[in-house]
Amino acid sequence: MEIVMLGTGYAMAERCYNTCFALVNGEETMLVDAGGGNQIFQQLAASNISYGSIRAMFITHAHTDHILGAIWIIRKIAALIHKKQHPGNFQIYCHDEAAETLIKICQLTLPAKFIREFDSTIFIHRVQDGEKAEAVGLQLTFFDIRSTKLKQFGFQAILPDQRTLACLGDEPYNPACRQYVEKADWLLCEAFCRYEDRETFHPYEKHHSTVLDAGKIANELGVSNLLLYHTEDKSLSTRKANYTAEAQSVFNGNVFVPDDLERIKL
């Protein structure tokens, strides 16, 4: 198992791609969001992830930097299915509001021959809070993160070796999600900027948290490995070192601050 960070930046990032990633289990891949445009193709190519390996996708919410890249993924896979170059049965998981947005954009922008693949080879599952599913060998439980902006879901994944991974989407941890996150082997969490830079980047006004906040929460929850993403993009040259140091000042586990296209063994 490995995670491939296809993008690590926030919505308006110009120096890196929007936050999205792939969970790769052998020959099968699940995408988590797809960023805000067709640069997702470039990221997948650079990561040597084949479209034939992509069997599932989870969409956290309907903000542009998460869902618009998913439209391009659907178009690409639908085209390959149409040419009999993809095994089909592409499973998409998202909550009801994200599903309605996704379908509407597809209906307005994609050729009818691709739309006809819906409910035939491309399946959009409207998941509920606490609902479970299996994808690419992972046991998934989806949960409402109690977003303060737009309805958003995260997920807990039980990996093939029975360790757990929890993804909190792109907003701060809410105690209502504790059962899905506590003592996770891996916690994927947004951290918009360092605490000392909060007056520059205003994370709290944007409903985001700082690296220090994320580290404290991870330590309180007894997490083993903390992976930070969805950051500002003005400090990329020093981001890894500085974010890691700040998180380690309050967190006893391992800290990962990946760059775009970085691969991390789980």
Side-chain angles (χ1 to χ4, degrees), residues 19-36:
T19 292
C20 55
F21 59 92
L23 290 171
V24 180
N25 185 15
E27 300 300 315
E28 294 186 325
T29 299
M30 181 176 85
L31 298 182
V32 178
D33 293 332

Side-chain angles (χ1 to χ4, degrees), residues 123-152:
F123 302 90
I124 300 176
H125 304 277
R126 296 165 172 80
V127 299
Q128 302 292 322
D129 185 28
E131 185 172 341
K132 298 180 183 296
E134 187 277 333
V136 304
L138 307 176
Q139 302 301 315
L140 305 171
T141 304
F142 307 104
F143 59 89
D144 190 335
I145 71 164
R146 274 67 172 182
S147 170
T148 54
K149 292 188 292 187
L150 183 72
K151 187 175 181 179
Q152 181 172 173

Side-chain angles (χ1 to χ4, degrees), residues 41-59:
F41 295 157
Q42 178 181 325
Q43 303 302 92
L44 289 169
S47 301
N48 293 314
I49 295 175
S50 70
Y51 295 102
S53 76
I54 300 173
R55 306 300 176 83
M57 177 166 59
F58 173 66
I59 301 171

Side-chain angles (χ1 to χ4, degrees), residues 148-255:
T148 54
K149 292 188 292 187
L150 183 72
K151 187 175 181 179
Q152 181 172 173
F153 274 25
F155 68 91
Q156 179 199 70
I158 300 178
L159 307 179
D161 62 4
Q162 299 305 300
R163 291 182 301 155
T164 57
L165 176 149
C167 169
L168 286 175
D170 75 351
E171 290 193 31
Y173 164 76
N174 187 307
C177 305
R178 192 179 191 100
Q179 64 177 307
Y180 304 110
V181 179
E182 190 169 22
K183 298 190 183 306
D185 293 290
W186 288 87
L187 176 61
L188 278 55
C189 183
E190 60 88 24
F192 195 78
C193 65
R194 294 186 299 165
Y195 184 75
E196 66 184 69
D197 295 328
R198 66 194 183 281
E199 297 301 325
T200 299
F201 295 110
H202 308 289
Y204 303 129
E205 291 88 333
K206 296 179 175 71
H207 302 262
H208 292 309
S209 59
T210 68
V211 174
L212 194 71
D213 300 325
K216 287 179 177 178
I217 288 295
N219 208 54
E220 174 193 330
L221 293 170
V223 169
S224 299
N225 299 282
L226 174 63
L227 189 154
L228 302 177
Y229 57 34
H230 205 271
T231 77
E232 50 82 19
D233 66 334
K234 302 299 187 293
S235 64
L236 292 186
S237 63
T238 59
R239 181 179 65 177
K240 186 184 291 287
N242 289 343
Y243 279 39
T244 299
E246 180 163 300
Q248 287 178 335
S249 72
V250 292
F251 175 59
N252 295 323
N254 302 310
V255 177

